[in-house]
Amino acid sequence: MADTGGPAAGRGHARRAGGVVLGSRPARPGRLPPRTRSAPPPTGHPVPWLRIAAAYSWRLILVGIVVYGVFTVLGRFRLIAVALFLALVLTSLLRPPTDLLNRLFPRPLCVAVALVGSLLLLLALLALVGNAVAGAWGTLAGEFGGGIQRIEQWLQRPPFRLGPGKLSDLQKQILSYLSAHRAGLLSRALSGIGQVVEWAAAGVLALFSSVFFIHSGENLWRWGRDQLLPSGARQVWDRAGHAAWRTFAGYTRGIIIVAATNAVLVGVALLILRVPLALPLTLLEFFAAFVPLVGSPVALGVATVVALAGRGPLTAAAVLALIVVIGQIEGHLLHPLVMSWAVRLHPLVIAISVIAGSIVGGVIGAVVAVPFVSVVWAVLSALRPAPS
């Protein structure tokens, strides 16, 4: 019994011990169940990009409503908004000399000296322009009379070939229009006097506000911040306010430098060309330069018409060439050197801002548009988190 069961028992033990007899093929593993594919998401779930677009859309709509509300309020209180804007401009210009004088004299005296001195300088400049126009009025009348005759002769030549009858008919139509609409023009003039009174009140308010802004602007800012904002938001608003004021003050001082440089170049050129009303046209160029990319060509266009009437086509062509020269100097030299540290906007953004501002608020909107966009961009840049 031991001999017959030994080998069989050994073989069975070998199978039980290893599971596989040495020298034989390994057992074939069992098949895994087929992999099941995940079911597609239900069609009712929104697409991810659509969800993101919807989230941004309602935010943009909310921002648009806020911007529209702000401009509506400013339109209702336009004179107050313009007065505060002028007060901020005066503050950005007069604050540095006031701080300099404050090292030697009391603060109220420094504010009074800065404001009174700037007003006297402006009145002296206006008196100089008025004296120049009044002194040359007789000569200008004769020059303009001859200039109009030269323009008529020039228009009768090719390529225009306008007959003398057409020019006289145009003059008659203008005179008849003025005589027919005399009552309407008179009422508009009277309403214009009322607007002059309103703008004078806005100027007084701007001067009154600038006194407090120059004297204690930081105290006003801290008072408004502490009274209107919670403690957790004050640091953020301080950072945004400092960025906004730095950009606005830098833009104001920079545009003053650009306008003064343009006015000096245009004034020297007009004096060399002996164009009539050179000083008033220089002052017009100075104020027109506050509208970037648009104001200077418009002022030089007025100077071209004056040169055409007073000195003839050749002088008018020379003044017209100044538009290109001044534009190149302003765009490629003055703005990169003077304005780049204050305003970091593309020229296309500046042009669109000026046009949009003129549509919304006319000349005032065109003047305010670029500093407004620059301040908004500076605030957004200051509030943006730093990249890690």
Side-chain angles (χ1 to χ4, degrees), residues 151-381:
I151 292 174
E152 292 178 353
Q153 296 175 0
W154 180 56
L155 292 176
Q156 293 173 9
R157 299 173 185 173
F160 299 100
R161 297 184 181 277
L162 294 178
K166 293 183 179 180
L167 296 176
S168 60
D169 292 340
L170 180 61
Q171 294 178 358
K172 292 179 181 178
Q173 290 177 2
I174 293 174
L175 293 176
S176 63
Y177 177 83
L178 293 177
S179 60
H181 298 81
R182 185 179 303 171
L185 295 175
L186 182 60
S187 63
R188 291 181 182 178
L190 293 177
S191 64
I193 294 176
Q195 292 181 357
V196 169
V197 174
E198 292 179 356
W199 287 112
V204 173
L205 178 60
L207 187 62
F208 182 73
S209 301
S210 63
V211 172
F212 296 97
F213 291 164
I214 297 173
H215 182 268
S216 55
E218 296 88 352
N219 296 332
L220 291 175
W221 171 262
R222 284 194 292 267
W223 179 83
R225 179 199 63 187
D226 296 339
Q227 295 294 325
L228 300 177
L229 298 176
S231 59
R234 292 172 186 174
Q235 184 177 2
V236 177
W237 278 88
D238 274 339
R239 188 166 69 249
H242 291 159
W245 176 248
R246 184 170 57 251
T247 302
F248 182 82
Y251 175 83
T252 304
R253 296 162 190 165
I255 201 66
I256 288 290
I257 296 174
V258 172
T261 306
N262 286 351
V264 169
L265 294 176
V266 170
V268 171
L270 294 180
L271 289 175
I272 293 175
L273 295 174
R274 294 185 297 173
V275 176
L277 299 175
L279 187 58
L281 291 175
T282 302
L283 188 62
L284 177 63
E285 169 65 23
F286 175 77
F287 287 109
F290 285 91
V291 183
L293 303 178
V294 179
S296 183
V298 171
L300 288 175
V302 175
T304 302
V305 175
V306 175
L308 181 62
R311 300 294 299 171
L314 294 179
T315 305
V319 176
L320 190 63
L322 281 177
I323 298 177
V324 180
V325 175
I326 296 298
Q328 295 297 319
I329 293 175
E330 181 179 353
H332 294 86
L333 182 62
L334 294 178
H335 275 280
L337 291 179
V338 178
M339 303 291 291
S340 60
W341 57 275
V343 180
R344 295 176 177 86
L345 296 178
H346 194 274
L348 180 61
V349 177
I350 295 176
I352 294 175
S353 302
V354 171
I355 295 174
S358 63
I359 293 174
V360 174
V363 178
I364 298 175
V367 173
V368 177
V370 176
F372 178 77
V373 174
S374 303
V375 167
V376 171
W377 181 253
V379 170
L380 293 178
S381 300

Side-chain angles (χ1 to χ4, degrees), residues 80-126:
I80 297 177
V82 171
L84 293 178
F85 177 79
L86 292 177
L88 292 176
V89 170
L90 289 176
T91 304
S92 63
L93 294 177
L94 301 180
R95 183 62 184 269
T98 303
D99 293 339
L100 186 62
L101 291 174
N102 194 24
R103 299 178 180 179
L104 301 175
F105 303 102
R107 187 75 178 179
L109 180 61
C110 299
V111 174
V113 169
L115 287 175
V116 174
S118 60
L119 288 177
L120 291 178
L121 180 62
L122 180 61
L123 292 177
L125 185 61
L126 294 178

Side-chain angles (χ1 to χ4, degrees), residues 43-82:
T43 56
H45 289 187
V47 184
W49 65 266
L50 185 59
R51 188 188 304 113
I52 297 173
Y56 278 102
S57 296
W58 73 263
R59 289 178 172 87
L60 291 177
I61 292 174
L62 182 61
V63 171
I65 293 174
V66 172
V67 171
Y68 178 79
V70 169
F71 276 98
T72 302
V73 172
L74 292 179
R76 295 285 184 179
F77 302 97
R78 183 178 61 177
L79 292 177
I80 297 177
V82 171

